[in-house]
């Protein structure tokens, strides 16, 4: 056992050149994943594609399983469960990493399109916790799916290709911002003001229609995608930032991009599982779920019985009870945490906050106002993970979600714990979490991958 990383310290103090080059090369593969997958559906597709390329196949409940089998299951196109069947019986429990692939964004409303001031706009309802002012005056893309009246699914992705147009939400010019500047942020940027500018050119036909700009937009949507106005009713169109993932800092030690929360832990879990070389002792499971940002509700969220369906069919295949398997299982709820930000030190307790470049961060508890709504892991659970990380040279630290009574939040941890699975939160520290452009450290990213690999191999 090496104690090299046992006490929290900046990873770069002790990391060899060889290790640093691993941080940077792993970040390149993550960059590709994050650039291509900006919605939960796209993440699920990318995960399946990667798993298939590594020899995983789609599991049909009821099928026999054998040690070494590499399987996956997709839940309604927006959540993926993957597993490598271990040598030991499922009666001894499984090792789970649970991460989420949804991210804060703006969703189009059911009747979104309108014209005002001879410009066409789309109305939105934000998804997850966003600071609304951050979504004004930045380039945006539209991605998602539309189910047309004849039942066809039309995939939409506008804005990522260099030749594509992009979209924007306007803001008041500072010259005329006197009233706006006096308001508190929550009032200055109302939710009903998050309207996407989608066109300004009136249709040139001599139609009777009064709203010619809206007509022009509808004609283009119909030409390009075969969509009619009422098809918005059965659509899931997500407005996401048009930023590419970029190196940040002269030393290129950080990655800036949209959706690190929580695609960074999702990618680490996915690659750790698919990189397993030997059949693990215990069955290794990666959960990539949807809807975490809105409370893990919904058919594709962590509260869905899809998890029981998958794991239950595995335990049935071995003739044992699901509850017996769950009670012996171990789960890392892999979600990002807040990194200490010297620009805003007042929201954190510096002694207990995660820091950039100190490795994967445990969170014993999340929640708010006296840990309310928190999993609050057992000391034994943290002790177990400490030993695994120390034995595998994983740089780790302990974090917490800000100063006491400053605010708070939750993860999927409590929904795993509810199933009687020993659960602990651990993930990558993030700066500007939930902003359209979030920031992580490449060293922390790699250490999170290594942490998950160590858990699965243990
Ligand atoms: Mn998260
Ligand atoms: Mn989040």
């Amino acid at each position: 056992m090496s104690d090299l990383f046992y006490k929290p310290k900046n990873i770069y103090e002790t990391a060899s050149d060889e290790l640093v080059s691993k941080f940077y090369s792993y970040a390149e593969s993550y960059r590709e994943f994050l650039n291509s997958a900006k919605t939960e559906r796209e993440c699920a597709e990318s995960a399946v594609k990667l798993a298939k390329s590594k020899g995983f196949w789609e599991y049909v409940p009821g099928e026999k399983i054998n040690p070494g089998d590499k399987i996956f299951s997709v839940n309604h196109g927006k959540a993926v469960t993957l597993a490598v069947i271990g040598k030991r019986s499922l009666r001894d429990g499984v090792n789970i990493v649970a991460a989420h692939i949804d991210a804060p964004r703006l969703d189009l409303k059911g009747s979104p399109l309108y014209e005002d001031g001879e410009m066409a706009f789309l109305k939105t309802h934000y998804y997850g916790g966003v600071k609304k002012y951050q979504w004004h005056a930045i380039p945006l893309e539209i991605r998602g799916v539309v189910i047309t009246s004849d039942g066809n699914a039309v995939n939409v992705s506008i804005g990522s290709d260099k030749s594509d147009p992009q979209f924007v939400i306007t803001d008041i010019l500072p010259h005329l911002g006197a009233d706006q500047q006096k308001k508190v942020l929550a009032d200055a940027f109302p939710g009903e003001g998050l309207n996407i500018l989608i066109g300004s050119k009136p249709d040139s036909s001599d139609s009777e229609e009064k709203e010619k700009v809206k007509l022009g937009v509808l004609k283009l949507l119909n030409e390009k995608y075969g969509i009619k106005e009422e098809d918005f009713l059965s659509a899931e169109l997500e407005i996401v930032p048009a930023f590419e993932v970029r190196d940040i800092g002269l030393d290129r030690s950080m990655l800036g991009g949209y959706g690190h929360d929580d695609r960074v832990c999702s990618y680490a879990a996915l690659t750790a599982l698919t990189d397993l070389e030997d059949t693990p002792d215990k069955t290794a499971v990666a959960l990539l779920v949807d809807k975490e940002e809105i409370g893990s509700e919904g058919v594709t969220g962590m509260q869905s019985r899809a998890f029981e369906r998958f794991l239950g069919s595995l335990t049935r295949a071995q003739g044992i009870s699901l509850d017996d398997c769950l009670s012996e299982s171990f789960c890392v709820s892999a979600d990002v945490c807040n990194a200490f930000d010297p620009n805003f030190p007042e929201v954190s307790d510096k002694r207990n906050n995660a820091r950039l470049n100190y490795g994967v961060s445990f969170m014993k508890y999340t929640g708010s106002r006296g840990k309310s709504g928190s999993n609050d892991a057992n000391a034994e659970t943290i002790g177990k993970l400490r030993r695994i990380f120390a034995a595998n040279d994983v740089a780790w630290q302990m974090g917490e979600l800000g100063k006491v009574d400053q605010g708070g939040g939750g993860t999927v941890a409590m929904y795993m714990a509810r199933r009687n699975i020993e659960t602990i939160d651990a993930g990558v520290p993030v700066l500007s979490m939930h902003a359209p452009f979030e920031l992580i450290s490449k060293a922390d990213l790699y250490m999170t991958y290594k942490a998950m690999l160590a858990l699965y191999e243990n």
Side-chain angles (χ1 to χ4, degrees):
M1 183 197 285
S2 157
D3 63 358
L4 186 66
F5 287 109
Y6 203 69
K7 287 211 173 70
K9 58 169 84 99
N10 192 304
I11 292 170
Y12 287 103
E13 279 181 34
T14 51
S16 64
D17 291 346
E18 194 198 343
L19 185 58
V20 173
S21 74
K22 282 183 183 167
F23 302 162
Y24 283 63
S25 65
Y26 183 75
E28 289 316 300
S29 60
Y30 171 59
R31 183 201 306 273
E32 218 171 284
F33 172 80
L34 196 59
N35 271 332
S36 69
K38 286 194 170 182
T39 67
E40 62 283 13
R41 285 176 199 266
E42 291 172 354
C43 282
E45 270 169 38
S46 294
V48 165
K49 198 170 147 202
L50 186 109
K52 280 184 174 167
S53 77
K54 296 274 197 165
F56 283 64
W57 65 89
E58 188 152 17
Y59 175 70
V60 179
E63 275 178 356
K64 285 212 172 88
I65 48 165
N66 294 297
D69 281 359
K70 299 174 170 187
I71 56 176
F72 70 85
S73 172
V74 182
N75 183 22
H76 297 276
K78 294 164 142 196
V80 188
T81 305
L82 306 103
V84 178
I85 306 302
K87 292 177 203 152
R88 285 164 65 177
S89 160
L90 290 166
R91 180 68 184 78
D92 296 334
V94 300
N95 285 322
I96 303 168
V97 178
H100 68 93
I101 51 178
D102 61 320
R105 59 175 191 256
L106 310 178
D107 287 339
L108 290 197
K109 292 192 184 193
S111 179
L113 183 61
Y114 69 98
E115 178 172 334
D116 196 359
E118 289 172 73
M119 290 185 276
F121 297 90
L122 295 168
K123 292 210 69 73
T124 66
H125 194 145
Y126 63 97
Y127 172 99
V130 303
K131 290 166 88 175
K132 296 171 200 108
Y133 74 87
Q134 293 177 334
W135 291 77
H136 289 260
I138 61 167
L140 300 166
E141 298 176 14
I142 301 178
R143 294 196 183 201
V145 64
V146 180
I147 309 299
T148 58
S149 52
D150 50 8
N152 283 334
V154 181
N155 286 312
V156 176
S157 178
I158 313 169
S160 65
D161 195 274
K162 290 270 180 283
S163 63
D164 279 352
Q166 295 181 336
F167 311 93
V168 75
I169 301 169
T170 56
D171 195 2
I172 297 174
L173 58 164
H175 316 66
L176 301 179
D179 289 345
Q180 185 189 45
Q181 303 267 25
K182 283 181 214 147
K183 292 179 184 166
V184 294
L185 275 178
D187 298 334
F189 301 92
E192 288 292 351
L194 294 172
N195 302 315
I196 313 295
L197 181 57
I198 190 176
S200 73
K201 188 168 142 220
D203 180 64
S204 57
S205 70
D206 48 7
S207 147
E208 294 290 291
E209 179 61 61
K210 284 207 180 83
E211 298 184 319
K212 289 269 173 62
V213 179
K214 178 179 167 181
L215 182 66
V217 167
L218 279 172
K219 277 190 177 173
L220 284 171
L221 283 173
N222 195 261
E223 271 166 33
K224 191 154 183 212
Y225 296 101
I227 299 169
K228 295 195 285 286
E229 187 171 8
E230 59 267 32
D231 293 333
F232 280 119
L233 291 168
S234 49
E236 275 184 336
L237 292 172
E238 305 181 4
I239 309 300
V240 295
F243 306 130
E244 271 184 31
V245 179
R246 296 299 297 252
D247 284 343
I248 299 293
L250 283 176
D251 53 16
R252 298 177 179 270
S253 60
M254 298 163 280
L255 276 179
Y258 164 66
H260 285 316
D261 177 8
D262 183 35
R263 289 163 190 155
V264 66
C265 295
S266 298
Y267 187 71
L270 174 67
T271 49
L273 189 81
T274 54
D275 283 353
L276 281 176
E277 278 175 11
D278 302 321
T279 301
D281 274 355
K282 289 188 183 181
T283 294
V285 179
L287 301 175
L288 310 180
V289 293
D290 181 29
K291 298 279 194 278
E292 191 279 338
E293 296 294 357
I294 56 169
S296 298
E297 307 280 357
V299 74
T300 47
M302 197 62 247
Q303 300 199 62
S304 158
R305 298 272 305 167
F307 173 71
E308 278 76 8
R309 178 171 186 250
F310 181 85
L311 201 59
S313 60
L314 299 189
T315 53
R316 268 199 308 283
Q318 290 192 352
I320 64 153
S321 118
L322 173 62
D323 281 326
D324 287 346
C325 170
L326 293 179
S327 73
E328 296 303 312
S329 293
F330 190 89
C331 175
V332 170
S333 160
D335 207 342
V336 299
C337 67
N338 55 312
F340 178 76
D341 186 343
N343 260 340
F344 304 99
E346 66 277 13
V347 301
S348 301
D349 164 17
K350 206 171 179 179
R351 277 183 66 81
N352 284 287
N353 210 97
R355 279 172 283 189
L356 218 59
N357 293 325
Y358 275 62
V360 58
S361 173
F362 290 4
M363 304 277 269
K364 183 184 187 314
Y365 50 86
T366 57
S368 54
R369 301 175 313 280
K371 302 187 178 180
S372 180
S374 166
N375 163 53
D376 203 17
N378 292 332
E380 291 86 345
T381 311
I382 301 171
K384 179 173 165 176
L385 210 53
R386 259 178 85 178
R387 288 193 297 280
I388 296 173
F389 288 179
N392 290 280
D393 285 342
V394 175
W396 64 274
Q397 56 183 325
M398 187 66 87
E400 68 170 9
L401 189 47
K403 224 156 72 169
V404 176
D405 287 340
Q406 185 62 44
T411 65
V412 301
M414 63 176 132
Y415 307 113
M416 302 311 287
R418 193 174 283 176
R419 292 162 160 126
N420 198 23
I421 304 169
E422 216 184 330
T423 302
I424 169 81
D425 278 299
V428 178
V430 175
L431 286 165
S432 308
M433 194 199 290
H434 280 211
F437 194 74
E438 301 176 314
L439 209 61
I440 59 156
S441 127
K442 291 180 181 176
D444 297 337
L445 164 64
Y446 183 75
M447 282 301 163
T448 303
Y449 160 76
K450 221 177 140 177
M452 289 163 192
L453 202 54
L455 174 77
Y456 287 145
E457 284 174 341
N458 171 59

